[in-house]
Amino acid sequence: MTNERWFVIGTDERMKLLAKKLSHPARTVYYKCTDKWDAVVNAAALEFHPQRIVLPIQPLHLEVKELFGIQQAHFFTGKLTEQWQQQLNNQPLYFYLQNEAFIWRNAVLTAEAMLAHLYKEGMALQGKKIMITGFGRVAKMLAYLFSQLKAKIIIAVRSETQRAEALAYGYTAITLSPKIRCNADVLINTIPAPWLTRDYTKLLSMPIYDLASAPGCLQELKLSQYELLPALPGKYFAKDAAQLLYETILDLLEGEESCSKEEG
């Protein structure tokens, strides 16, 4: 095997640990702790000429007009903005956030990390009313884990299909609208859209933890009891999060090699 050059970028602790896990006699791995691709990163890439570049889940801030040193690079990434898509138009892309195994296992880590965060805040779960907005993978894992700890789960969704699904799981399920009447001890948002306005008066007094991507669920609001919590797995379980990302990247590489053999 020829020596591969890997470039891992991101401020999340999992990215640093991922770089260590990728280190191998057949790989040279360069790690850069930054949340932006700027002239400094361009210079590093131009000098290193990486063959594989791993980006964090949330897109890096793009501060250059053109990326240097990436002609040979295959990119592993979570999400990309339209600006990034344009920059990487001709590059091989692998979206680990579209890998079902990664999504579900990351959802489990996110749920456990949310529990760890609540414990850190001094909150016990038993008997508490926990409102979860949305009912995707993360919400499902949250609801399951918290219900095992005897919390009372309230699922608030805009989709009638999701409401019916939550009811089938045995949770209290309500329609998310400004007319909402249900009270809870905590609200945990998983909907990746700014939906929470001043019209939701019943929700504005409770602690709100937002697990959705930035900018979160607030729409033209500032609330002292609101906390945006991106990348929780990397903050609380960096080793496990790095291992998950490592295994997913290896799976994606294995798929790439299988395709190459078939084409050959």
Side-chain angles (χ1 to χ4, degrees):
M1 182 187 292
T2 58
N3 190 281
E4 294 179 345
R5 297 183 301 280
W6 287 70
F7 194 7
V8 180
I9 308 170
T11 58
D12 193 319
E13 182 68 15
R14 86 181 95 186
M15 303 305 285
K16 179 180 179 181
L17 295 175
L18 172 66
K20 291 181 179 179
K21 292 193 71 66
L22 284 169
S23 296
H24 184 277
R27 301 189 195 107
T28 300
V29 182
Y30 181 77
Y31 168 67
K32 186 71 175 175
C33 182
T34 182
D35 63 355
K36 58 190 176 184
W37 190 296
D38 57 10
V40 174
V41 176
N42 251 355
L46 191 59
E47 180 179 355
F48 189 50
H49 280 287
Q51 296 162 306
R52 316 279 188 187
I53 298 177
V54 185
L55 303 177
I57 291 178
Q58 298 304 324
L60 297 171
H61 299 289
L62 199 49
E63 298 187 356
V64 293
K65 292 183 179 180
E66 183 180 357
L67 305 185
F68 294 159
I70 66 165
Q71 291 81 2
Q72 305 175 49
H74 291 212
F75 281 78
F76 296 84
T77 185
K79 301 176 182 178
L80 290 179
T81 61
E82 185 176 338
Q83 187 181 14
W84 266 103
Q85 290 278 11
Q86 291 172 355
Q87 286 280 356
L88 302 181
N89 186 43
N90 296 317
Q91 303 296 138
L93 299 176
Y94 303 88
F95 290 91
Y96 52 81
L97 202 55
Q98 294 178 8
N99 179 281
E100 281 295 320
F102 176 86
I103 295 169
W104 280 104
R105 292 173 65 189
N106 193 62
V108 172
L109 285 177
T110 301
E112 286 200 51
M114 185 68 246
L115 177 61
H117 189 77
L118 291 175
Y119 282 166
K120 184 180 177 182
E121 297 285 297
M123 177 180 291
L125 270 292
Q126 187 171 16
K128 295 292 194 309
K129 288 184 179 180
I130 309 295
M131 181 181 292
I132 302 171
T133 53
F135 201 55
R137 298 172 184 85
V138 170
K140 286 182 172 71
M141 293 298 101
L142 285 168
Y144 174 77
L145 179 60
F146 289 8
S147 65
Q148 297 304 298
L149 296 169
K150 308 303 180 185
K152 299 174 182 178
I153 305 301
I154 304 161
I155 303 297
V157 288
R158 296 172 291 187
S159 162
E160 190 59 31
T161 300
Q162 285 189 326
R163 193 178 79 85
E165 186 180 8
L167 286 170
Y169 275 96
Y171 305 127
T172 298
I174 61 177
T175 300
L176 182 61
S177 76
K179 296 180 180 180
I180 199 166
R181 295 183 179 278
C182 191
N183 291 320
D185 296 294
V186 170
L187 186 154
I188 302 176
N189 177 64
T190 68
I191 300 173
W195 59 268
L196 186 55
T197 65
R198 294 190 184 279
D199 295 334
Y200 287 83
T201 54
K202 288 286 186 180
L203 305 182
L204 301 183
S205 60
M206 67 180 70
I208 299 171
Y209 298 98
D210 199 341
L211 301 185
S213 303
C217 67
L218 297 189
Q219 186 177 136
E220 298 179 352
L221 272 179
K222 288 186 178 180
L223 300 174
S224 60
Q225 75 278 20
Y226 169 88
E227 190 173 1
L228 183 62
L229 297 171
L232 272 184
K235 293 175 182 175
Y236 282 92
F237 308 120
K239 289 183 180 179
D240 292 287
Q243 179 66 28
L244 172 56
L245 190 49
Y246 173 74
E247 291 175 6
T248 303
I249 288 173
L250 291 188
D251 285 344
L252 291 170
L253 279 174
E254 187 176 327
E256 175 197 15
E257 290 172 0
S258 297
C259 289
S260 297
K261 289 178 181 178
E262 290 176 6
E263 290 173 1

